[in-house]
Amino acid sequence: MVPNIAAIALTVALVSAACSDAGPRTAPTQRPPASTAVGELSPSPSGKPAKGIDKIGHMIFIVMENRSFDHYFGTYPGADGIPMKNGKPSVCIPDPVLGHCVRPYHDTSMVNVGGPHAKPQSDLDVNGGKMDGFVQSALLQATNTCALDPTDPSCKGKVGPQLQPEVMGYHTGAEVRNYWTYADNFVLQDHMFASVDSWTLPAHLFLVSGWSAWCKDHHKASSCSSSIMSVEKAKRGAVPYAWTDITYLLHEADVSWAYYVDVGTCWTDDCAGQKSGTANAMNVLPGFQTVHQDGQIGNIQEHPAYFDAAKNGALPSVSWVVPGRGFSEHPNSGSIASGIAFVTKIINAAMQGPDWNSTAIFLTWDDWGGFYDHVAPPRVDENGYGIRVPALVISPYAKKGFVDHQTLSFDAYLKFIEDRFLDGQRLDPKNDGRPDPRPTVREDVKILGDLQKDFDFSQDPRPPLLLDPGQQGELGG
């Protein structure tokens, strides 16, 4: 999550102060008729989406932390994974400490160190498209002692067979069994790029707004400019994000939404030093002026509320679910088995509830966590894309065992929400009713794929696939 570099160790604290208007609101372009209470299906769009998209009445976005695509799915059959020759990785990455190049290796450990993962390390890792700077980045992390001295006896089991740092490790279905099982039965996306080539906070800002910025005046969207490094943290009495996020459009169209965080998460006070709950950088919506202006701070709820809503058929149209500390799969903060268990419980709850036949679940990770990936990210503007991350689509209408090779980013999630619930209205300053100076309407980038291609709406709804949340990694280490 937060890179281990003081210059960018900025987090988002979350507040509840009432705030003044961020700027004039003008009437947005066409909106669907208002009709939604929490748990009630939103109206079908009046545009021309793929036939049957109106069958999706509930979207759930689960966002974990800090893993690259190759780290979890680099050997998954049919995916664009680690380049191989005769069953062994053929790529070799320079290691300045060892004095020779090192190859990706199968890491059976359920606890991983990872590497620094902010904008400077993204640039170093990508290295102009060569994708060969991952070990060098790991050496910049002072706490990554086994990258700096892999021969230290304490590093046994924490480095690869060539003494390569853990950033070169990859997992298989032996360690991340449930994730591979979901891929076998639903949709795996092998070209999902983080929207921004930086760390968790700007990634989550992009997730809900299509932008990450610094605003000179917290109450004026026109004062905001792109920033993916020095992103201002919120604090008591300050709500720093003045630009427009997707909840503004959802509120204007009476589309229900909720953002679910861990029990004990602080978002109504000065959260500096918070040790429990969801990390501040993953809970950004309380920092948006729109959420306060629209009176929707109460839509940020704790995980038990999600389970109740799923059980009782009261899921909102759009849900985001983020983990808490210790089970977010953040490197060096617990076993990935804890994260897999959390994700599985979230998915099982949706599958067992009465809303399953109208649900689409999207699972992804917010950034690459310093781990090796071999695909160079496309450049769409000054902010990204970032390095590839794993992504899955789970739904009764998802194609079975399908590997989606489209170029995607988190912007595709916004696009899917907009196409289903907002008549295709984008977060576009020209016509969304709340202009801001964002450099790109990310949903309209030409290379961005369409998530509708991951569904077969002509098929009968598929039954739930309930998995065991426990016992991950039994076949691994």
Side-chain angles (χ1 to χ4, degrees):
M1 184 196 63
V2 181
N4 197 11
I5 298 174
I8 51 177
L10 300 171
T11 57
V12 175
L14 304 163
V15 299
S16 65
C19 302
S20 60
D21 195 0
R25 297 188 182 197
T26 57
T29 30
Q30 301 173 341
R31 290 279 186 270
S35 71
T36 49
V38 172
E40 182 182 351
L41 294 189
S42 296
S44 300
S46 60
K48 298 179 180 179
K51 183 179 180 181
I53 191 175
D54 58 307
K55 294 180 180 180
I56 302 300
H58 307 280
M59 300 179 190
I60 302 171
F61 301 91
I62 307 170
V63 188
M64 303 300 284
E65 283 200 277
N66 300 170
R67 304 285 164 164
S68 73
F69 182 87
D70 279 344
H71 182 62
Y72 272 178
F73 290 98
T75 60
Y76 188 85
D80 185 2
I82 299 166
M84 298 280 188
K85 185 176 182 179
N86 298 324
K88 296 182 179 180
S90 59
V91 293
C92 207
I93 305 301
D95 186 324
V97 170
L98 297 177
H100 58 75
C101 67
V102 293
R103 302 182 188 278
Y105 71 97
H106 181 199
D107 185 356
T108 61
S109 175
M110 300 297 282
V111 179
N112 310 127
V113 176
H117 43 277
K119 170 63 174 172
Q121 291 76 44
S122 176
D123 291 342
L124 184 57
D125 289 354
V126 173
N127 193 20
K130 295 179 181 178
M131 305 304 290
D132 64 359
F134 295 86
V135 174
Q136 296 180 64
S137 288
L139 296 174
L140 297 175
Q141 190 171 26
T143 56
N144 200 336
T145 55
C146 291
L148 297 165
D149 184 7
T151 62
D152 188 301
S154 66
C155 293
K156 185 177 180 180
K158 299 179 181 179
V159 294
Q162 294 178 282
L163 301 181
Q164 61 267 63
E166 266 194 336
V167 294
M168 296 305 297
Y170 62 83
H171 293 299
T172 71
E175 297 83 45
V176 291
R177 186 185 342 176
N178 284 8
Y179 294 156
W180 279 46
T181 301
Y182 290 133
D184 289 343
N185 289 275
F186 298 101
V187 177
L188 174 67
Q189 298 162 327
D190 69 356
H191 282 79
M192 173 65 78
F193 297 91
S195 289
V196 58
D197 54 345
S198 194
W199 61 293
T200 289
L201 174 52
H204 281 263
L205 291 171
F206 263 93
L207 178 75
V208 298
S209 74
W211 197 24
S212 174
W214 178 285
C215 304
K216 293 180 180 179
D217 185 330
H218 295 171
H219 306 294
K220 291 184 178 180
S222 60
S223 75
C224 304
S225 58
S226 293
S227 179
I228 61 175
M229 284 280 290
S230 298
V231 183
E232 185 176 5
K233 61 182 179 180
K235 53 188 176 184
R236 189 192 299 262
V239 181
Y241 310 136
W243 68 95
T244 306
D245 67 282
I246 191 66
T247 71
Y248 166 76
L249 295 181
L250 295 175
H251 176 262
E252 290 291 300
D254 282 340
V255 178
S256 57
W257 65 269
Y259 196 95
Y260 297 102
V261 297
D262 191 20
V263 173
T265 298
C266 168
W267 69 86
T268 60
D269 207 340
D270 187 344
C271 300
Q274 177 188 345
K275 301 297 183 183
S276 62
T278 295
N280 297 335
M282 300 185 75
N283 186 17
V284 299
L285 281 176
F288 277 90
Q289 292 280 352
T290 55
V291 175
H292 294 270
Q293 293 163 5
D294 294 334
Q296 294 197 304
I297 193 68
N299 291 26
I300 296 136
Q301 303 174 19
E302 294 182 340
H303 291 153
Y306 166 81
F307 289 106
D308 287 345
K311 180 180 179 180
N312 296 320
L315 285 170
S317 296
V318 181
S319 301
W320 293 271
V321 185
V322 292
R325 290 172 171 84
F327 57 95
S328 69
E329 297 177 34
H330 188 290
N332 218 22
S333 66
S335 170
I336 58 176
S338 299
I340 297 170
F342 168 73
V343 169
T344 304
K345 290 175 183 177
I346 295 295
I347 294 173
N348 282 351
M351 289 182 169
Q352 291 175 302
D355 292 330
W356 167 242
N357 281 354
S358 60
T359 294
I361 301 170
F362 302 89
L363 170 61
T364 194
W365 284 253
D366 56 21
D367 65 55
W368 82 110
F371 293 104
Y372 173 75
D373 195 85
H374 80 281
V375 176
R379 200 75 188 163
V380 297
D381 62 18
E382 63 204 69
N383 299 313
Y385 297 148
I387 293 171
R388 279 195 314 173
V389 294
L392 296 149
V393 181
I394 300 162
S395 172
Y397 301 103
K399 296 176 180 177
K400 184 174 182 178
F402 179 62
V403 179
D404 182 355
H405 302 301
Q406 295 182 96
T407 297
L408 298 167
S409 72
F410 304 157
D411 310 314
Y413 296 151
L414 295 173
K415 180 179 179 180
F416 195 73
I417 293 170
E418 293 159 356
D419 286 349
R420 168 59 184 92
F421 296 122
L422 302 172
D423 196 21
Q425 174 65 56
R426 305 299 184 219
L427 284 164
D428 186 343
K430 293 181 179 179
N431 55 33
D432 66 12
R434 194 178 184 279
D436 58 41
R438 66 184 61 215
T440 312
V441 178
R442 280 295 196 90
E443 306 96 297
D444 286 339
V445 168
K446 290 184 178 180
I447 65 170
L448 184 67
D450 188 344
L451 295 180
Q452 295 186 43
K453 294 182 180 180
D454 291 336
F455 297 86
D456 180 358
F457 292 114
S458 68
Q459 70 186 17
D460 292 332
R462 294 166 51 199
L465 177 67
L466 302 178
L467 301 182
D468 183 354
Q471 301 179 342
Q472 299 297 311
E474 284 187 332
L475 302 180

